[in-house]
Structure formats: structure tokens, C-alpha cells
Amino acid sequence: MSPVHVLDPYYLAITALVTIAYQLSGFAIAFTFKFDKITDFTGGSNFFILALFTLLMGNEYHTRNIVVSIFVMVWAVRIAAFLLYRVLKTGSDSRFDEIRSHFLKFLGFWIDVPSGQIVWVWTVSLPVTILNSPAVSDTSHRGSNPAFGTSRDIGGIVLWSIGFLIETVADIQKFRFKQNKSSPKDSPMMTGLWKYSRHPPYFGEMLCWWGVFMISLSPATNGTLPTSVHAALYGSIVSPIFTVLLLMFASGVPTAEKPQAERYYVKTFEPESQSPHAWTNYMVYRNRTSILVPMPPSLYAVLPRWLKQTILLDFPFYSFSESKDGPAALAKARG
């Protein structure tokens, strides 16, 4: 059977329509019943749907297409299942407490540009979408399928495997830490992968999507494709770049760093504090632990501040200022 051609040769329009329909269906259910059980699940599962959908539509089961599609589907199943299990255990997602009952604000979680789920899923899925499209994989119509095993294939597999392992292990470690009643309440998690990075799951996720992109690029670097198709594959680099930008400047690190610092600051300086050392413990952890790229604490601790705040991505705007943010945090805690 030949590939299914629909709307455009890269499957861009049809995957956008599928994503919009799926995400708006998720929003309708979540808003109607005022619960958070499917908000993150719809995001992760949407990746699975697009990878499988484009693979079946393209109907070209080259080894590379199968590997990339499976990688995306495995990643999607893992993240969707974990987030669903976590919210079922906790009961709700505090991120939505103030917007759950507001139609437009809650809708923004799905449709906001650039960080809404629709844009996120469609953009990050571009490498597998374009790879599986007839423009690339239909070898009977100017597509290309170089022998699997190029240097980019191997490099991409290694990157994805390392990233997936880091993301999975880090999520499990943090979840168990939070669920363990004996875990210290006046100190961040300083064991496992979290000893070497303050955000190991984000680092792992970035590696996964760089790996997917690298494998998907092989038909452009080792095959023969028309100029426009060649450019489309290279253009799918927006997927890993978007992932990095999103996690470093939008819905990832910024939403975790200051709130965590605020929590330990309040624990220490609130009236009748029962955790007088929480802020000191947090600052020691922060100064010794890389924000993203895992490295030994003993090495990170002695690096100059300018290096941490530039090349190592621990940007100043992540910091919680005792003088500027402290009074507001205590006032907020007092209600």
C-alpha cells in the first residue's frame, strides 16, 4: 500500500488538526468536571497518537521510522502514565487551583502561545511527523531511506537512551522522596540523581528530543532529497530547541526554582518556625548543585559565579532574593 497523502506532503496540517481536536476535547472534559486527572495525561498521550498516526499514514515501515516512532511512543507512555499516577495519588494539581473554574484562564493551559499544550505537542513532534511523511519516506516519489546505522542514528539512540533513563529514574526518585514520610522536611532532596542536578528530569527530556531529531535527520544528511524536503528535516530542529527554551524559560525551571526557595525561606523565618535550618540547608544545596547538567557537587561548588550564571545556565532571574522576595513571601504565608 502507498502512503496516504492528506492536506500537505509533510503531515503538518493534519497533525495540527488532530492535536487541536484532542486537546480541546481534554479541556472540555477537565473544565466540565472541574478535575485535573487528565490535563497532563492528554499532553503525553497526544505524542503517542501523532507518532503512531503518522507512521500508519505514511505506511513506510523503514527501520528508522519504526525506531523513532517507538522512541516517541515509549517516551509518551512513560510520561503520561507517570503524571496520571502522580495526580491520582495526590488528588489534584495545585497549578490549577486558581484557574480551574475560570473558562479562559483554564483554556490558556491548552491554547496559550508558546507554552500551551497544543503548541508544545505539535512543535516537539515535528521530527517524527516529518520523517514519517510521504515527502521524506516515500522512496517511490523522491523520498529517501539511507541504510539504518549512520553516525547520527547511533548518536541519536545513545542520546535518547541516556535521556530516557535519567528522566525516568529522577522522576521515580523524587516521587518516592515526597511520598516517604520520613524524608526530611527542612532540606531538598540530595540523593540519587538529585545530588548532581537540581532538575535532572528536564535534562533527560532535552536529551530525548535531541536524540529523536538526530535520528530523523539522517535522510537529509545521508540520503538524497529535494531541497525543500531537505530544509524541512533540518527545520525540525525547532523541536529540541523549543524543548530547551520551554523548560529553561517558561513552564519548567522558572516554575520550580523560586517556589522551592520561597518554601524553605518561609519554613525558616515564619513565626514560631519549626525548621530553623531549612533556608541554610537549601542555600547549601543550591550553591553545590548544578541547575541542569549533572556534575559532582564538589566540582560545582568551587566554580566561579559568572560561569554558573552563564554557560551552566543558572541565570540570575531564577534566584530568590531575601531582601526583595522575602517580605512578600512571609506576607503571603500569613495570608
Side-chain angles (χ1 to χ4, degrees), residues 87-127:
V87 77
L88 289 174
K89 291 284 288 185
T90 58
S92 64
D93 192 327
S94 60
R95 293 176 301 167
F96 306 113
D97 287 346
E98 297 181 2
I99 65 174
R100 193 179 296 111
S101 299
H102 299 275
F103 182 87
L104 292 179
K105 290 181 179 180
F106 200 30
L107 179 61
F109 176 77
W110 276 268
I111 68 172
D112 185 39
V113 177
S115 59
Q117 283 205 150
I118 291 174
V119 176
W120 171 54
V121 172
W122 185 82
T123 303
V124 176
S125 293
L126 283 175

Short mmCIF file of all heavy atoms in Angstrom, two decimals, residues 87-127:
data_model
loop_
_atom_site.label_atom_id
_atom_site.label_comp_id
_atom_site.label_asym_id
_atom_site.label_seq_id
_atom_site.Cartn_x
_atom_site.Cartn_y
_atom_site.Cartn_z
N VAL A 87 -0.94 12.34 39.84
CA VAL A 87 -2.09 13.17 40.19
C VAL A 87 -3.19 12.35 40.86
O VAL A 87 -3.94 12.85 41.70
CB VAL A 87 -2.63 13.91 38.94
CG1 VAL A 87 -3.45 12.98 38.05
CG2 VAL A 87 -3.48 15.12 39.36
N LEU A 88 -3.26 11.06 40.52
CA LEU A 88 -4.23 10.19 41.20
C LEU A 88 -3.84 9.98 42.66
O LEU A 88 -4.71 9.88 43.53
CB LEU A 88 -4.33 8.84 40.48
CG LEU A 88 -5.03 8.85 39.11
CD1 LEU A 88 -4.93 7.48 38.45
CD2 LEU A 88 -6.49 9.26 39.25
N LYS A 89 -2.53 9.91 42.92
CA LYS A 89 -2.05 9.73 44.29
C LYS A 89 -2.21 11.00 45.11
O LYS A 89 -2.55 10.95 46.29
CB LYS A 89 -0.58 9.30 44.28
CG LYS A 89 -0.34 7.90 43.75
CD LYS A 89 -0.73 6.84 44.76
CE LYS A 89 0.24 6.77 45.90
NZ LYS A 89 -0.06 5.64 46.83
N THR A 90 -1.94 12.15 44.48
CA THR A 90 -2.02 13.42 45.22
C THR A 90 -3.43 13.98 45.27
O THR A 90 -3.74 14.79 46.14
CB THR A 90 -1.08 14.47 44.59
OG1 THR A 90 -1.43 14.65 43.20
CG2 THR A 90 0.37 14.00 44.69
N GLY A 91 -4.28 13.59 44.32
CA GLY A 91 -5.67 14.03 44.33
C GLY A 91 -5.97 15.21 43.44
O GLY A 91 -7.07 15.32 42.88
N SER A 92 -5.01 16.13 43.28
CA SER A 92 -5.23 17.29 42.42
C SER A 92 -3.89 17.92 42.07
O SER A 92 -2.85 17.55 42.62
CB SER A 92 -6.12 18.34 43.12
OG SER A 92 -5.47 18.84 44.27
N ASP A 93 -3.92 18.87 41.16
CA ASP A 93 -2.71 19.57 40.73
C ASP A 93 -2.84 21.02 41.16
O ASP A 93 -3.69 21.76 40.67
CB ASP A 93 -2.57 19.47 39.21
CG ASP A 93 -1.21 19.92 38.72
OD1 ASP A 93 -0.64 20.84 39.35
OD2 ASP A 93 -0.72 19.39 37.71
N SER A 94 -1.97 21.44 42.08
CA SER A 94 -2.06 22.78 42.66
C SER A 94 -1.86 23.89 41.63
O SER A 94 -2.25 25.04 41.86
CB SER A 94 -1.04 22.94 43.79
OG SER A 94 0.28 22.74 43.31
N ARG A 95 -1.26 23.57 40.49
CA ARG A 95 -1.06 24.59 39.45
C ARG A 95 -2.37 25.17 38.96
O ARG A 95 -2.42 26.31 38.48
CB ARG A 95 -0.31 23.99 38.25
CG ARG A 95 1.12 23.57 38.50
CD ARG A 95 1.69 22.92 37.26
NE ARG A 95 0.93 21.76 36.86
CZ ARG A 95 1.05 21.15 35.69
NH1 ARG A 95 1.88 21.63 34.77
NH2 ARG A 95 0.33 20.07 35.41
N PHE A 96 -3.44 24.38 39.06
CA PHE A 96 -4.72 24.80 38.51
C PHE A 96 -5.71 25.30 39.56
O PHE A 96 -6.86 25.58 39.23
CB PHE A 96 -5.35 23.63 37.73
CG PHE A 96 -4.45 23.06 36.67
CD1 PHE A 96 -3.96 21.77 36.79
CD2 PHE A 96 -4.07 23.80 35.58
CE1 PHE A 96 -3.11 21.23 35.83
CE2 PHE A 96 -3.23 23.28 34.61
CZ PHE A 96 -2.75 21.99 34.73
N ASP A 97 -5.27 25.42 40.80
CA ASP A 97 -6.19 25.79 41.87
C ASP A 97 -6.88 27.13 41.61
O ASP A 97 -8.06 27.30 41.91
CB ASP A 97 -5.46 25.84 43.21
CG ASP A 97 -5.11 24.45 43.73
OD1 ASP A 97 -5.67 23.46 43.19
OD2 ASP A 97 -4.29 24.35 44.66
N GLU A 98 -6.14 28.09 41.06
CA GLU A 98 -6.69 29.42 40.87
C GLU A 98 -7.33 29.63 39.50
O GLU A 98 -7.92 30.68 39.24
CB GLU A 98 -5.60 30.47 41.10
CG GLU A 98 -5.04 30.47 42.52
CD GLU A 98 -3.99 31.54 42.72
OE1 GLU A 98 -3.72 32.30 41.76
OE2 GLU A 98 -3.42 31.61 43.83
N ILE A 99 -7.22 28.66 38.61
CA ILE A 99 -7.76 28.86 37.25
C ILE A 99 -8.77 27.79 36.85
O ILE A 99 -9.43 27.92 35.82
CB ILE A 99 -6.64 28.89 36.19
CG1 ILE A 99 -5.94 27.53 36.11
CG2 ILE A 99 -5.65 30.00 36.50
CD1 ILE A 99 -4.91 27.45 34.98
N ARG A 100 -8.92 26.75 37.67
CA ARG A 100 -9.76 25.61 37.30
C ARG A 100 -11.20 26.01 36.99
O ARG A 100 -11.86 25.41 36.14
CB ARG A 100 -9.73 24.58 38.42
CG ARG A 100 -10.28 23.22 38.07
CD ARG A 100 -10.18 22.26 39.24
NE ARG A 100 -8.80 21.99 39.61
CZ ARG A 100 -8.22 22.39 40.74
NH1 ARG A 100 -8.91 23.10 41.61
NH2 ARG A 100 -6.96 22.07 41.00
N SER A 101 -11.71 27.03 37.66
CA SER A 101 -13.10 27.44 37.48
C SER A 101 -13.27 28.61 36.52
O SER A 101 -14.39 29.08 36.31
CB SER A 101 -13.71 27.81 38.84
OG SER A 101 -13.68 26.71 39.72
N HIS A 102 -12.16 29.07 35.94
CA HIS A 102 -12.22 30.20 35.01
C HIS A 102 -12.01 29.69 33.58
O HIS A 102 -10.92 29.21 33.25
CB HIS A 102 -11.16 31.24 35.36
CG HIS A 102 -11.32 31.82 36.73
ND1 HIS A 102 -12.15 32.89 36.99
CD2 HIS A 102 -10.78 31.47 37.92
CE1 HIS A 102 -12.10 33.18 38.28
NE2 HIS A 102 -11.27 32.33 38.87
N PHE A 103 -13.02 29.81 32.77
CA PHE A 103 -13.00 29.22 31.42
C PHE A 103 -11.78 29.65 30.62
O PHE A 103 -11.02 28.81 30.13
CB PHE A 103 -14.28 29.61 30.68
CG PHE A 103 -14.38 29.02 29.29
CD1 PHE A 103 -14.92 27.75 29.10
CD2 PHE A 103 -13.92 29.72 28.18
CE1 PHE A 103 -15.01 27.21 27.82
CE2 PHE A 103 -14.00 29.18 26.91
CZ PHE A 103 -14.56 27.92 26.73
N LEU A 104 -11.57 30.97 30.44
CA LEU A 104 -10.50 31.44 29.59
C LEU A 104 -9.12 31.16 30.18
O LEU A 104 -8.19 30.80 29.46
CB LEU A 104 -10.67 32.93 29.33
CG LEU A 104 -11.88 33.31 28.46
CD1 LEU A 104 -11.96 34.83 28.29
CD2 LEU A 104 -11.79 32.64 27.09
N LYS A 105 -8.98 31.34 31.50
CA LYS A 105 -7.67 31.08 32.12
C LYS A 105 -7.31 29.61 32.03
O LYS A 105 -6.16 29.25 31.75
CB LYS A 105 -7.70 31.53 33.58
CG LYS A 105 -7.76 33.03 33.78
CD LYS A 105 -7.75 33.38 35.26
CE LYS A 105 -7.78 34.88 35.48
NZ LYS A 105 -7.78 35.24 36.92
N PHE A 106 -8.27 28.73 32.26
CA PHE A 106 -8.02 27.29 32.19
C PHE A 106 -7.76 26.87 30.75
O PHE A 106 -6.88 26.05 30.48
CB PHE A 106 -9.22 26.54 32.77
CG PHE A 106 -8.92 25.12 33.17
CD1 PHE A 106 -7.67 24.75 33.62
CD2 PHE A 106 -9.91 24.15 33.12
CE1 PHE A 106 -7.39 23.43 34.00
CE2 PHE A 106 -9.65 22.84 33.50
CZ PHE A 106 -8.39 22.48 33.93
N LEU A 107 -8.51 27.47 29.82
CA LEU A 107 -8.30 27.18 28.40
C LEU A 107 -6.89 27.55 27.96
O LEU A 107 -6.30 26.89 27.09
CB LEU A 107 -9.33 27.93 27.56
CG LEU A 107 -9.25 27.75 26.04
CD1 LEU A 107 -9.47 26.29 25.63
CD2 LEU A 107 -10.27 28.65 25.34
N GLY A 108 -6.34 28.61 28.60
CA GLY A 108 -5.00 29.04 28.23
C GLY A 108 -3.94 27.96 28.42
O GLY A 108 -2.93 27.96 27.72
N PHE A 109 -4.17 27.04 29.38
CA PHE A 109 -3.22 25.94 29.57
C PHE A 109 -3.08 25.11 28.31
O PHE A 109 -2.02 24.57 28.01
CB PHE A 109 -3.68 25.06 30.74
CG PHE A 109 -2.83 23.84 30.96
CD1 PHE A 109 -1.60 23.94 31.58
CD2 PHE A 109 -3.25 22.58 30.54
CE1 PHE A 109 -0.80 22.82 31.78
CE2 PHE A 109 -2.47 21.46 30.73
CZ PHE A 109 -1.24 21.58 31.36
N TRP A 110 -4.16 25.02 27.54
CA TRP A 110 -4.15 24.24 26.30
C TRP A 110 -3.74 25.06 25.07
O TRP A 110 -3.02 24.56 24.22
CB TRP A 110 -5.53 23.62 26.07
CG TRP A 110 -5.76 22.34 26.80
CD1 TRP A 110 -5.54 21.07 26.34
CD2 TRP A 110 -6.24 22.18 28.14
NE1 TRP A 110 -5.85 20.14 27.30
CE2 TRP A 110 -6.29 20.78 28.42
CE3 TRP A 110 -6.65 23.06 29.14
CZ2 TRP A 110 -6.72 20.27 29.63
CZ3 TRP A 110 -7.07 22.55 30.36
CH2 TRP A 110 -7.11 21.18 30.60
N ILE A 111 -4.20 26.30 24.98
CA ILE A 111 -4.04 27.04 23.72
C ILE A 111 -3.04 28.18 23.79
O ILE A 111 -2.78 28.83 22.77
CB ILE A 111 -5.40 27.59 23.24
CG1 ILE A 111 -5.90 28.69 24.19
CG2 ILE A 111 -6.42 26.47 23.11
CD1 ILE A 111 -7.13 29.42 23.66
N ASP A 112 -2.48 28.46 24.95
CA ASP A 112 -1.56 29.58 25.08
C ASP A 112 -0.37 29.42 24.13
O ASP A 112 0.10 28.31 23.87
CB ASP A 112 -1.05 29.67 26.52
CG ASP A 112 -0.18 30.90 26.74
OD1 ASP A 112 -0.51 31.95 26.17
OD2 ASP A 112 0.84 30.79 27.44
N VAL A 113 0.09 30.53 23.58
CA VAL A 113 1.29 30.53 22.72
C VAL A 113 2.38 31.29 23.47
O VAL A 113 2.17 32.41 23.91
CB VAL A 113 0.98 31.20 21.37
CG1 VAL A 113 2.25 31.27 20.52
CG2 VAL A 113 -0.14 30.47 20.63
N PRO A 114 3.58 30.72 23.66
CA PRO A 114 4.04 29.49 23.03
C PRO A 114 3.98 28.24 23.91
O PRO A 114 4.42 27.17 23.48
CB PRO A 114 5.50 29.82 22.74
CG PRO A 114 5.91 30.65 23.92
CD PRO A 114 4.68 31.45 24.30
N SER A 115 3.51 28.36 25.16
CA SER A 115 3.70 27.25 26.09
C SER A 115 2.47 26.37 26.30
O SER A 115 2.49 25.46 27.12
CB SER A 115 4.15 27.80 27.46
OG SER A 115 3.18 28.71 27.97
N GLY A 116 1.38 26.60 25.57
CA GLY A 116 0.20 25.76 25.71
C GLY A 116 0.44 24.36 25.17
O GLY A 116 1.34 24.13 24.36
N GLN A 117 -0.40 23.41 25.60
CA GLN A 117 -0.17 22.01 25.21
C GLN A 117 -0.29 21.79 23.71
O GLN A 117 0.42 20.95 23.15
CB GLN A 117 -1.14 21.10 25.97
CG GLN A 117 -0.73 20.86 27.40
CD GLN A 117 -1.26 19.56 27.99
OE1 GLN A 117 -0.61 18.98 28.84
NE2 GLN A 117 -2.42 19.08 27.59
N ILE A 118 -1.18 22.51 23.04
CA ILE A 118 -1.34 22.32 21.59
C ILE A 118 -0.04 22.66 20.87
O ILE A 118 0.46 21.88 20.05
CB ILE A 118 -2.50 23.17 21.06
CG1 ILE A 118 -3.84 22.63 21.57
CG2 ILE A 118 -2.49 23.19 19.52
CD1 ILE A 118 -5.03 23.49 21.21
N VAL A 119 0.51 23.83 21.16
CA VAL A 119 1.76 24.25 20.52
C VAL A 119 2.90 23.33 20.92
O VAL A 119 3.72 22.93 20.08
CB VAL A 119 2.10 25.70 20.90
CG1 VAL A 119 3.44 26.12 20.31
CG2 VAL A 119 1.00 26.65 20.44
N TRP A 120 2.96 22.98 22.19
CA TRP A 120 4.03 22.10 22.70
C TRP A 120 4.04 20.76 21.99
O TRP A 120 5.07 20.34 21.43
CB TRP A 120 3.85 21.91 24.20
CG TRP A 120 4.73 20.87 24.82
CD1 TRP A 120 6.09 20.79 24.74
CD2 TRP A 120 4.31 19.74 25.62
NE1 TRP A 120 6.55 19.68 25.44
CE2 TRP A 120 5.49 19.03 25.99
CE3 TRP A 120 3.08 19.29 26.06
CZ2 TRP A 120 5.44 17.87 26.76
CZ3 TRP A 120 3.03 18.14 26.85
CH2 TRP A 120 4.20 17.44 27.19
N VAL A 121 2.91 20.08 21.96
CA VAL A 121 2.85 18.74 21.37
C VAL A 121 3.16 18.78 19.88
O VAL A 121 3.99 18.01 19.38
CB VAL A 121 1.45 18.11 21.59
CG1 VAL A 121 1.34 16.80 20.80
CG2 VAL A 121 1.21 17.86 23.07
N TRP A 122 2.53 19.70 19.16
CA TRP A 122 2.70 19.74 17.71
C TRP A 122 4.14 20.10 17.33
O TRP A 122 4.74 19.47 16.46
CB TRP A 122 1.73 20.75 17.10
CG TRP A 122 1.77 20.78 15.60
CD1 TRP A 122 1.13 19.93 14.75
CD2 TRP A 122 2.51 21.69 14.78
NE1 TRP A 122 1.43 20.26 13.43
CE2 TRP A 122 2.28 21.34 13.43
CE3 TRP A 122 3.36 22.77 15.06
CZ2 TRP A 122 2.84 22.03 12.37
CZ3 TRP A 122 3.93 23.46 14.00
CH2 TRP A 122 3.67 23.09 12.67
N THR A 123 4.71 21.09 18.02
CA THR A 123 6.07 21.55 17.69
C THR A 123 7.11 20.50 18.02
O THR A 123 8.00 20.20 17.21
CB THR A 123 6.39 22.85 18.44
OG1 THR A 123 5.41 23.85 18.11
CG2 THR A 123 7.77 23.37 18.07
N VAL A 124 7.03 19.92 19.20
CA VAL A 124 8.05 18.96 19.63
C VAL A 124 7.94 17.66 18.82
O VAL A 124 8.95 16.95 18.66
CB VAL A 124 7.93 18.70 21.14
CG1 VAL A 124 8.91 17.64 21.60
CG2 VAL A 124 8.18 19.99 21.91
N SER A 125 6.77 17.36 18.29
CA SER A 125 6.59 16.14 17.49
C SER A 125 7.09 16.29 16.05
O SER A 125 7.06 15.31 15.28
CB SER A 125 5.11 15.74 17.45
OG SER A 125 4.66 15.34 18.72
N LEU A 126 7.54 17.45 15.64
CA LEU A 126 7.89 17.69 14.24
C LEU A 126 8.89 16.71 13.65
O LEU A 126 8.72 16.28 12.49
CB LEU A 126 8.39 19.13 14.06
CG LEU A 126 7.30 20.21 14.05
CD1 LEU A 126 7.92 21.60 14.00
CD2 LEU A 126 6.35 20.00 12.87
N PRO A 127 9.95 16.31 14.35
CA PRO A 127 10.89 15.36 13.72
C PRO A 127 10.23 14.05 13.29
O PRO A 127 10.45 13.58 12.17
CB PRO A 127 11.94 15.14 14.81
CG PRO A 127 11.92 16.38 15.62
CD PRO A 127 10.47 16.78 15.65
#
